Amino acid sequence: MKKLILTGLITLMSCSMGINAQSNPPKKGILLITFGTSFPEARKTFDHIDEMFKKQWPEVDVHWAYTAKFIRQKLKGQGIHTDSPAEALAKMGEAGYTHVAGQSLHFIPGSEFHDVLKTVEAFSGIPKGIEKTTIGSPLLSDHQDMQRMANFICETFPASDNKKEAVLLMGHGSHHDANVYYPAFQYYLDELSPDHFIGTVEGFPLLDDVMSRLDAGGYQAVKLVPFMSVAGDHAHNDMAGNEQDSWKSQLEAKGFEVEIVMKGLAEYDEVVEIWIDHLKEALDAL
Ligand code: CO
């Protein structure tokens, strides 16, 4: 008897829940997820990304989240509030979004991306919250992304014809297995140009590894380009800083003439378009 009443209750509860769910009109949202930056000039790069996504989906709201806690806290000290991915998703659920597609603005599917993936998946089907979430993959995820990006790099940053110049990209690098995307990208560059190289700050290959290739190539000059979404801390300090251990200083000490490109790659439409294509897939899967 008791059991019967309980079953009845559960049926009643699920009925009323069903009615509630039906009265909730579907509402799609986009969540762009980046590591973040505290460099004011670099945040203008985020404005460019924001504009391009809004132009592509004028009918869908675009929200942002920063994964780096220390950056969020630094900005908080300056009176600027930014959400973590979990905060942004909780707020979106509360605001009535039923379907949210996240887009990782990372370069490789490393540890940052996998953390984001876990968070976004955790918010899928939350009671009284978002019904479904999906996520678009990072910039470099498959063969086609690698080809598109290598084409863009070689066309946008050609090696000078006037002097024997190498173009050296500075990637972030990772302790995650996905660091292999960086040396793999070198293969795609090699297919297009003998003068384009990639190194990383924290992974493989390091500057020392690339240096032997620069020496062997008989180059006189090196053009340094950040292989990152924004020209932030790593670009200003590790790449172009005046400290002895910056890439610029180390290359100059070796006798190379160094030119700096101080631009985040997300300032270029061609790069943001790759993320846009990945979000298209995530929105289709909602
Ligand atoms: Co870093």
Side-chain angles (χ1 to χ4, degrees):
M1 184 64 184
K2 235 182 185 174
K3 208 176 172 189
L4 239 166
I5 294 170
L6 247 173
T7 321
L9 251 172
I10 288 166
T11 317
L12 233 157
M13 275 169 68
S14 48
C15 275
S16 68
M17 272 170 76
I19 289 161
N20 276 344
Q22 270 169 9
S23 63
N24 240 359
K27 186 178 175 186
K28 272 189 190 181
I30 291 169
L31 180 62
L32 302 180
I33 305 159
T34 172
F35 180 75
T37 184
S38 59
F39 267 66
E41 317 96 85
R43 268 187 286 126
K44 284 187 194 130
T45 312
F46 291 169
D47 292 340
H48 173 243
I49 300 174
D50 191 64
E51 266 167 38
M52 282 191 69
F53 276 84
K54 283 177 176 161
K55 208 170 147 194
Q56 183 70 37
W57 289 283
E59 72 288 357
V60 188
D61 295 336
V62 175
H63 296 251
W64 280 78
Y66 283 20
T67 60
K69 198 171 192 173
F70 75 96
I71 289 176
R72 292 199 310 273
Q73 278 171 345
K74 195 173 166 189
L75 289 172
K76 200 175 172 185
Q78 300 167 13
I80 302 165
H81 178 84
T82 47
D83 286 332
S84 71
E87 277 176 310
L89 288 160
K91 284 182 185 171
M92 288 178 87
E94 202 57 26
Y97 289 90
T98 56
H99 294 79
V100 175
Q103 178 56 48
S104 148
L105 299 178
H106 298 92
F107 266 44
I108 59 158
S111 48
E112 274 281 318
F113 171 70
H114 283 90
D115 286 350
V116 163
L117 183 65
K118 242 191 218 171
T119 309
V120 172
E121 278 177 347
F123 277 85
S124 201
I126 281 216
K128 295 181 186 171
I130 301 166
E131 284 171 34
K132 192 175 179 187
T133 60
T134 54
I135 185 149
S137 33
L139 192 73
L140 305 175
S141 298
D142 61 20
H143 176 63
Q144 208 193 341
D145 299 335
M146 299 286 261
Q147 277 186 326
R148 270 175 89 172
M149 199 56 189
N151 274 318
F152 159 77
I153 291 288
C154 294
E155 276 170 23
T156 312
F157 309 104
S160 167
D161 288 334
N162 302 328
K163 50 193 171 196
K164 182 83 177 123
E165 187 185 53
V167 177
L168 175 55
L169 306 169
M170 180 197 250
H172 195 279
S174 173
H175 301 290
H176 190 274
D177 290 348
N179 183 79
V180 292
Y181 277 77
Y182 293 102
F185 191 66
Q186 182 66 57
Y187 185 95
Y188 290 83
L189 292 172
D190 289 345
E191 291 278 282
L192 301 172
S193 152
D195 303 320
H196 285 72
F197 303 94
I198 186 162
T200 65
V201 195
E202 295 177 15
F204 172 82
L206 290 169
L207 180 61
D208 282 347
D209 304 310
V210 187
M211 204 68 99
S212 52
R213 293 189 71 173
L214 294 179
D215 286 339
Y219 293 101
Q220 298 161 349
V222 177
K223 187 187 284 174
L224 283 174
V225 182
F227 193 69
M228 297 179 187
S229 58
V230 296
D233 193 45
H234 288 300
H236 282 88
N237 299 314
D238 299 310
M239 188 183 86
N242 289 322
E243 299 286 313
Q244 260 189 346
D245 58 353
S246 77
W247 285 23
K248 176 178 164 256
S249 301
Q250 290 187 61
L251 288 161
E252 281 174 349
K254 278 261 193 174
F256 294 106
E257 187 188 312
V258 176
E259 188 194 327
I260 302 287
V261 175
M262 193 51 81
K263 253 183 148 183
L265 295 187
E267 288 180 46
Y268 296 87
D269 289 3
E270 295 93 325
V271 175
V272 180
E273 277 158 11
I274 299 178
W275 282 317
I276 285 182
D277 285 345
H278 292 175
L279 184 62
K280 273 181 196 161
E281 287 176 29
L283 280 164
D284 283 348
L286 269 181

PDB file of all heavy atoms in Angstrom, residues 35 172 202 234, ligand 1:
ATOM      1  N   PHE A  35      41.238  31.579 -21.376  1.00  0.00           N
ATOM      2  CA  PHE A  35      42.093  31.589 -20.197  1.00  0.00           C
ATOM      3  C   PHE A  35      41.944  32.947 -19.516  1.00  0.00           C
ATOM      4  O   PHE A  35      41.864  33.052 -18.308  1.00  0.00           O
ATOM      5  CB  PHE A  35      43.556  31.356 -20.625  1.00  0.00           C
ATOM      6  CG  PHE A  35      44.521  31.338 -19.483  1.00  0.00           C
ATOM      7  CD1 PHE A  35      44.600  30.241 -18.642  1.00  0.00           C
ATOM      8  CD2 PHE A  35      45.357  32.420 -19.239  1.00  0.00           C
ATOM      9  CE1 PHE A  35      45.492  30.217 -17.576  1.00  0.00           C
ATOM     10  CE2 PHE A  35      46.251  32.409 -18.179  1.00  0.00           C
ATOM     11  CZ  PHE A  35      46.322  31.302 -17.348  1.00  0.00           C
ATOM     12  N   HIS A 172      52.432  28.426 -26.452  1.00  0.00           N
ATOM     13  CA  HIS A 172      52.489  28.323 -24.996  1.00  0.00           C
ATOM     14  C   HIS A 172      53.179  27.032 -24.563  1.00  0.00           C
ATOM     15  O   HIS A 172      54.089  27.046 -23.755  1.00  0.00           O
ATOM     16  CB  HIS A 172      51.081  28.386 -24.388  1.00  0.00           C
ATOM     17  CG  HIS A 172      51.121  28.636 -22.924  1.00  0.00           C
ATOM     18  ND1 HIS A 172      51.361  27.631 -22.018  1.00  0.00           N
ATOM     19  CD2 HIS A 172      50.997  29.776 -22.212  1.00  0.00           C
ATOM     20  CE1 HIS A 172      51.359  28.150 -20.795  1.00  0.00           C
ATOM     21  NE2 HIS A 172      51.150  29.448 -20.888  1.00  0.00           N
ATOM     22  N   GLU A 202      56.666  26.547 -22.584  1.00  0.00           N
ATOM     23  CA  GLU A 202      56.611  25.579 -21.482  1.00  0.00           C
ATOM     24  C   GLU A 202      56.511  24.125 -21.920  1.00  0.00           C
ATOM     25  O   GLU A 202      56.189  23.263 -21.115  1.00  0.00           O
ATOM     26  CB  GLU A 202      55.386  25.884 -20.597  1.00  0.00           C
ATOM     27  CG  GLU A 202      55.466  27.213 -19.894  1.00  0.00           C
ATOM     28  CD  GLU A 202      54.202  27.523 -19.088  1.00  0.00           C
ATOM     29  OE1 GLU A 202      53.406  26.605 -18.843  1.00  0.00           O
ATOM     30  OE2 GLU A 202      54.045  28.696 -18.713  1.00  0.00           O
ATOM     31  N   HIS A 234      53.097  36.531 -21.857  1.00  0.00           N
ATOM     32  CA  HIS A 234      54.144  35.722 -22.493  1.00  0.00           C
ATOM     33  C   HIS A 234      54.760  36.455 -23.687  1.00  0.00           C
ATOM     34  O   HIS A 234      55.971  36.404 -23.878  1.00  0.00           O
ATOM     35  CB  HIS A 234      53.575  34.377 -22.955  1.00  0.00           C
ATOM     36  CG  HIS A 234      53.268  33.453 -21.815  1.00  0.00           C
ATOM     37  ND1 HIS A 234      54.219  33.027 -20.927  1.00  0.00           N
ATOM     38  CD2 HIS A 234      52.117  32.874 -21.410  1.00  0.00           C
ATOM     39  CE1 HIS A 234      53.674  32.222 -20.036  1.00  0.00           C
ATOM     40  NE2 HIS A 234      52.387  32.124 -20.305  1.00  0.00           N
TER      41      HIS A 234
HETATM   42 CO    CO B   1      51.189  30.806 -19.286  1.00  0.00          CO
END
